[in-house]
Amino acid sequence: MLALNPEVPKDPEKVDRIMKSATHIFAENGYLQAKTADIAKAASVSKGIVFRYFGDKGHLYLATVEYVIEHLTSIADFSVWRDANDLGDMIERAVRYKIELQLQYPDEFTLSVRSFGELGSLPEEIQGEIAELWRNQTTMGMLELEQPVIDRMPIRDDVDRGTLQCLLSAVADQVFGDAQQFMQQHPKAKIEDFEPIIRQIQDEYRILEHGFLK
């Protein structure tokens, strides 16, 4: 998690309670409507402790988003992606699995969606950090999860692996852009609402795999 105010001693149990309460309240109310006092009360700490640990509401939000990313990453079963037969199969598996996780961790997934959709409403000093956080997570995650699948596929000998990775990176960047735009328009969207985008990704991968000529 972000090393905010590293010179301030922090009680790990209080930090954990603050992160959990902040995850719920930011997910339920969004950044603008969430109140730091409510987060502190739900965490059984003083409002002063929250500001002492995290500086301000904006950086508390930033820390909470990173906490959510770390938590979801720690519990995710990445074999769902890596054991897929091909890239299209991987996307289908990923969507189903993410829906299951969403049912188990509704606050974490809701805040994930909101953190995209609310970018324009966040303080300027953290907007770029939030966007970069998710961009790196999306791009790195897709490449790492795709690679085992690609290694099992019958890639033509004349295909340069570096060029292929560039194409996949371009798709990953587009996924980020499409998802961000969709979430800005639908801040309360759920994972299943992304099915049109998933189908688009599948079509793009299908063209990458098989070409577009008869």
Side-chain angles (χ1 to χ4, degrees):
M1 193 167 59
L2 289 170
L4 295 169
N5 296 338
E7 72 284 356
V8 177
K10 299 180 181 67
D11 182 333
E13 292 185 1
K14 289 181 180 179
V15 170
D16 187 60
R17 294 203 304 269
I18 292 169
M19 288 292 93
K20 288 178 179 177
S21 66
T23 297
H24 176 68
I25 290 173
F26 279 134
E28 190 171 70
N29 300 294
Y31 175 77
L32 292 178
Q33 299 301 318
K35 298 184 184 303
T36 308
D38 293 338
I39 292 172
K41 182 178 180 181
S44 299
V45 300
S46 69
K47 187 176 176 181
I49 285 289
V50 175
F51 286 125
R52 188 162 179 257
Y53 282 9
F54 298 98
D56 55 41
K57 180 180 172 182
H59 286 89
L60 171 62
Y61 186 87
L62 179 60
T64 305
V65 171
E66 185 167 16
Y67 167 83
V68 164
I69 290 175
E70 291 179 354
H71 179 57
L72 292 177
T73 300
S74 71
I75 55 90
D77 178 8
F78 293 113
S79 66
V80 171
W81 285 262
R82 295 183 180 125
D83 293 347
N85 297 316
D86 53 40
L87 296 177
D89 181 40
M90 182 188 72
I91 293 298
E92 291 183 11
R93 288 171 175 235
V95 172
R96 288 195 294 269
Y97 182 58
K98 285 185 176 181
I99 291 173
E100 292 176 8
L101 286 181
Q102 180 186 342
L103 295 175
Q104 296 179 52
Y105 303 96
D107 287 341
E108 287 83 352
F109 273 91
T110 298
L111 182 55
S112 297
V113 172
R114 279 190 177 275
S115 67
F116 271 128
E118 293 185 322
L119 275 178
S121 302
L122 301 177
E124 290 185 8
E125 63 266 26
I126 68 167
Q127 285 184 22
E129 293 183 69
I130 292 282
E132 188 66 17
L133 188 64
W134 279 112
R135 183 178 292 108
N136 291 340
Q137 184 73 12
T138 302
T139 302
M140 291 174 61
M142 290 188 71
L143 292 178
E144 291 175 2
L145 297 176
E146 286 172 348
Q147 193 58 54
V149 180
I150 293 171
D151 289 342
R152 293 195 301 274
M153 297 175 68
I155 307 298
R156 294 201 320 262
D157 292 338
D158 62 332
V159 172
D160 179 78
R161 293 298 181 108
T163 301
L164 178 58
Q165 288 289 3
C166 287
L167 287 172
L168 293 174
S169 293
V171 173
D173 287 342
Q174 180 177 330
V175 169
F176 175 84
D178 290 347
Q180 182 178 19
Q181 181 179 13
F182 182 85
M183 285 185 272
Q184 287 173 340
Q185 296 171 350
H186 307 86
K188 295 185 178 180
K190 297 182 179 299
I191 294 296
E192 55 264 35
D193 296 327
F194 289 85
E195 289 186 7
I197 294 177
I198 297 301
R199 286 196 294 271
Q200 178 183 336
I201 297 169
Q202 289 177 312
D203 288 341
E204 291 168 353
Y205 280 145
R206 193 173 297 113
I207 291 173
L208 278 175
E209 290 181 32
H210 304 292
F212 61 91
L213 298 177
K214 290 183 179 180

